[in-house]
Amino acid sequence: RRRPIAYSPRASPLARLAMSAPSHTAARRILLVDCDAFYVQVARLEDPEGAGRAEYLIVGGSSSGRGVVTSASYSCREFGVHSAMPTGQALRLCPQAMVAPVSRTACSERSRRVRDSLRTLAPLVQAASIDEFYLDLTGMDRMLAGESLVESGRRIQAAVLAASDIRVSIGGGTNRLVAKLAAGRAKPNGVFVVPPGGEADFIAELALADLPGVGPKLVAALSERGLRGVADVRRVERDWLERWLGDGRAEWLLRRVWGRDDSPVVHGERRKSVSSERTFSRDLDTTEELERELLRLSVSVTASLRKEGLRARTLSVKVRTSDFTTRQRAHTFGDPVESDTVVFPVARRLLAELRARRRGRVRLLGVGLSNLVADDVPAQLALFTEGVHAPGDSETDRDRALARTVDVLRTRFGKDAVLPGRIVDPSPGRSETLRSADGREPESPS
């Protein structure tokens, strides 16, 4: 009997070969390849004489202390610096650090090199973010001549470094959850594999906050009942967990604390969200300034969406005020959309609602598109057909045609060739926070 395997028509030749490979073990062989301090590495590669010479390096924000940390070198992390921390606070913790920018284009190119090299090494490769990739080597025993998972990890490390100049840490195990946690143990630039049957013991000593998907609210709710570690939850009877959390959530948590995860590695999985944020060199307060920046973000995220051949059902607007309070509102469209002419009016309304509830000077503004679906627009669109979308919610073929025509012009003449009149004269001093492909912060503080 042949082992069934998830397959995509876009899968690599190795994936098609793996489909016919007989299974010699019941245990899956999953790796997580995690690019170490990815944005720091890219910044050093792009500026070898500047950032490349700095032992203490912060990427994100500015030397004046504005903005937030996108990533920090491991030397800085020893002082308590981590991603999403205000850059000013990071510089107080590590005053000798250099603050450097990094190009989104350069990051995307390095990520592509890593991904392309992995696709020659594994049958199934799934990008979890711009700097994390899951690999499934299940059923490859004969092809790899009995190579252990640790040996596979070291071979993959060397191949990725040769192809992209990016150093990676690799975690391995029988499922994605364990591989993710093992990668954290492997950092930096190591390989750590949990053997089959060792999942429960490996996870036993962890805090609940260490488990992927266990967020601050759930941690706080469990902490109120004296449950702070994995071992604490394991001692509680299932009935009590179901009373506290509900049947579904209790089942999910129990699977987590015992190291169980059946989710597959899906080759070529599309991104889950597209987002863009800007931290300003000075706090903004006027409606005119904020709406101009909101329009700029709307243009950026919808262009990225169309480039991926996607549309979005859900729009979210994020605001962080000068006291670092962060709030967000979202709207779900009746039909998926892709043009800024529809996204911006709704984003403006969401911003107004956030500002009506609580005024304050704004240091960060963000726009996100999620609940993505594949683009199914007909090939021929009528550019000048009559019809206007319903206010703020409905998109017409004319909206899409205009947006795509602008894309063509920007590709040919430059990204600033065609812009809405309100953002032709941009405010100086903006810095953009890079986002990963699934909308998360690019790196965890680990």
Side-chain angles (χ1 to χ4, degrees):
R1 296 180 59 187
R2 299 189 187 281
R3 181 180 63 86
I5 190 169
Y7 175 70
S8 163
R10 298 173 58 192
S12 65
L14 275 176
R16 294 191 286 273
L17 182 59
M19 289 181 65
S20 60
S23 176
H24 296 278
T25 175
R28 293 198 295 163
R29 293 160 59 86
I30 308 298
L31 294 175
L32 176 65
V33 177
D34 189 338
C35 303
D36 294 328
F38 177 64
Y39 297 98
V40 169
Q41 288 198 70
V42 177
R44 286 172 168 165
L45 289 168
E46 291 297 300
D47 181 21
E49 296 303 315
R53 295 177 178 272
E55 177 184 359
Y56 301 94
L57 184 64
I58 294 171
V59 176
S62 68
S63 57
S64 66
R66 300 290 300 184
V68 295
V69 175
T70 300
S71 183
S73 64
Y74 286 101
S75 298
C76 288
R77 297 181 192 195
E78 293 177 359
F79 289 83
V81 178
H82 59 77
S83 62
M85 171 182 285
T87 304
Q89 181 182 353
L91 288 171
R92 287 192 291 273
L93 292 172
C94 186
Q96 65 270 46
M98 173 183 178
V99 179
V102 65
S103 160
R104 179 186 294 273
T105 301
C107 292
S108 297
E109 173 60 22
R110 295 287 174 178
S111 177
R112 183 192 61 77
R113 291 190 199 179
V114 173
R115 183 193 66 227
D116 289 350
S117 67
L118 293 175
R119 286 179 174 172
T120 69
L121 301 169
L124 297 176
V125 178
Q126 177 179 343
S129 68
I130 195 172
D131 59 352
E132 291 184 333
F133 304 85
Y134 284 101
L135 280 58
D136 191 341
L137 301 181
T138 308
M140 301 288 290
D141 303 64
R142 289 181 62 182
M143 187 181 300
L144 299 177
E147 180 180 77
S148 72
L149 206 53
V150 172
E151 292 169 332
S152 295
R154 289 173 179 158
R155 175 173 55 82
I156 290 169
Q157 268 187 327
V160 169
L161 181 61
S164 66
D165 294 319
I166 295 295
R167 299 182 183 278
V168 300
S169 296
I170 297 181
T174 57
N175 61 57
R176 290 174 46 142
L177 170 64
V178 171
K180 169 76 171 177
L181 292 169
R185 180 76 66 88
K187 285 178 174 290
N189 197 36
V191 176
F192 186 87
V193 173
V194 178
E199 298 85 0
D201 289 341
F202 169 62
I203 292 177
E205 301 302 320
L206 298 178
L208 292 173
D210 295 331
L211 298 180
V214 179
K217 290 184 179 180
L218 181 55
V219 168
L222 293 170
S223 180
E224 289 179 357
R225 293 178 168 85
L227 308 179
R228 296 178 176 83
V230 165
D232 297 330
V233 174
R234 289 180 180 180
R235 287 192 290 266
V236 177
E237 293 184 8
R238 183 191 185 101
D239 288 348
W240 281 104
L241 286 177
E242 290 177 348
R243 292 182 193 181
W244 295 337
L245 306 176
D247 293 355
R249 207 175 187 193
E251 169 67 20
W252 177 86
L253 182 61
L254 285 171
R255 291 180 63 81
R256 274 294 196 256
V257 300
W258 289 104
R260 298 167 188 160
D261 179 14
D262 298 328
S263 60
V265 174
V266 181
H267 186 88
E269 185 180 67
R270 287 186 179 272
R271 62 166 65 190
K272 298 177 181 178
S273 66
V274 178
S275 63
S276 183
E277 296 180 355
R278 287 197 173 98
T279 301
F280 309 113
S281 59
R282 60 179 180 83
D283 296 341
L284 304 185
D285 190 39
T286 69
T287 299
E288 181 181 359
E289 288 178 310
L290 289 169
E291 288 189 355
R292 182 171 59 244
E293 295 300 332
L294 189 70
L295 177 57
R296 195 189 312 276
L297 293 169
S298 299
V299 169
S300 174
V301 294
T302 52
S304 297
L305 196 70
R306 293 190 298 274
K307 186 176 181 180
E308 295 288 335
L310 299 171
R311 292 180 186 166
R313 293 184 182 276
T314 302
L315 163 70
S316 59
V317 172
K318 176 181 177 181
V319 170
R320 180 174 297 147
T321 47
S322 55
D323 61 357
F324 288 93
T325 299
T326 302
R327 295 173 297 130
Q328 184 169 301
R329 286 189 68 83
H331 171 85
T332 298
F333 294 93
D335 294 306
V337 300
E338 63 176 51
S339 63
D340 56 273
T341 55
V342 176
V343 167
F344 173 63
V346 180
R348 181 169 55 186
R349 189 184 76 227
L350 296 177
L351 175 62
E353 291 173 359
L354 287 166
R355 299 266 288 164
R357 291 193 173 190
R358 179 175 177 176
R359 299 287 296 186
R361 300 182 67 83
V362 175
R363 64 177 291 115
L364 176 146
L365 191 62
V367 173
L369 296 172
S370 58
N371 200 0
L372 307 183
V373 297
D375 172 17
D376 58 358
V377 177
Q380 297 296 325
L381 297 174
L383 181 57
F384 298 109
T385 54
E386 295 298 324
V388 180
H389 55 76
D393 199 48
S394 180
E395 187 174 69
T396 67
D397 283 355
R398 181 175 181 274
D399 294 319
R400 294 166 184 155
L402 287 170
R404 291 175 178 225
T405 300
V406 169
D407 289 342
V408 172
L409 293 172
R410 289 173 181 158
T411 299
R412 185 173 179 181
F413 299 108
K415 62 184 179 68
D416 294 331
V418 182
L419 293 172
R422 294 181 67 177
I423 60 175
V424 168
D425 183 22
S427 299
R430 299 183 322 273
S431 63
E432 184 166 353
T433 300
L434 297 175
R435 304 292 293 184
S436 64
D438 62 354
R440 302 183 299 111
E441 291 291 344
E443 294 184 74
S444 67
S446 61

